[in-house]
Amino acid sequence: TFLGSGVRSHELADLQMGDLRIGRGENAINIRHGKGDKFRIVAITERLKNHLLDFIRWKTAIGESLEPNAPLFISERKRAYCTRAIRYLFKRCLRRAGLSARFGVHSLRHFHLTELYTATKDIRLIQEQAGHRSISTSSLYCHISLSDRQQVVSTLFEGFR
């Protein structure tokens, strides 16, 4: 979910069933309490949408609540996961996969937003997706490669001699 949306861990923990905007031609989730308690709509990947639809079918099969105010992700104790538990589960998955546990869930947010910038070169899109107040915060995700710079310089100064 982190990789397909770029949400913060507390935003993921806060998701409820009614926050899903999938189907009806939409691929998005509502973030009701983002940083600064701000609301935003976050676009998600088609792949994440399909995983969420599978997850909802599974929740239905085991009898979990699909009410709009029901937590999307719940523990075995039938409570919404807290941020700390999400981070713990992420670290455990990393270890099981044989990957370095030095990465945190926030690194997936960085990866998502950096890849989004690389594909679009649209800083405003990054700002909206990330829920940043300041565009300067969004600029942290704008890693401009040497090949990008070479292409721009070549294109710009092609006709000059």
Side-chain angles (χ1 to χ4, degrees), residues 70-89:
L72 181 59
F73 301 110
I74 61 170
S75 69
E76 289 133 5
R77 295 182 191 152
K78 304 292 183 204
R79 288 191 221 136
Y81 279 109
C82 66
T83 304
R84 188 175 183 188
I86 289 170
R87 288 184 180 137
Y88 170 79
L89 289 170

Side-chain angles (χ1 to χ4, degrees), residues 76-145:
E76 289 133 5
R77 295 182 191 152
K78 304 292 183 204
R79 288 191 221 136
Y81 279 109
C82 66
T83 304
R84 188 175 183 188
I86 289 170
R87 288 184 180 137
Y88 170 79
L89 289 170
F90 180 73
K91 293 286 187 183
R92 195 169 83 189
C93 288
L94 285 175
R95 282 192 298 278
R96 282 187 178 171
L99 301 171
S100 172
R102 69 183 175 99
F103 295 105
V105 292
H106 198 73
S107 60
L108 295 177
R109 175 176 166 81
H110 276 266
F111 182 79
H112 174 85
L113 296 170
T114 299
E115 289 299 302
L116 193 58
Y117 178 77
T118 301
T120 66
K121 306 295 190 250
D122 187 342
I123 189 85
R124 282 283 299 129
L125 186 131
I126 304 307
Q127 183 182 20
E128 288 292 319
Q129 182 77 355
H132 293 147
R133 186 179 318 148
S134 168
I135 204 151
S136 65
T137 305
S138 302
S139 71
L140 299 172
Y141 300 95
C142 302
H143 307 289
I144 301 168
S145 69

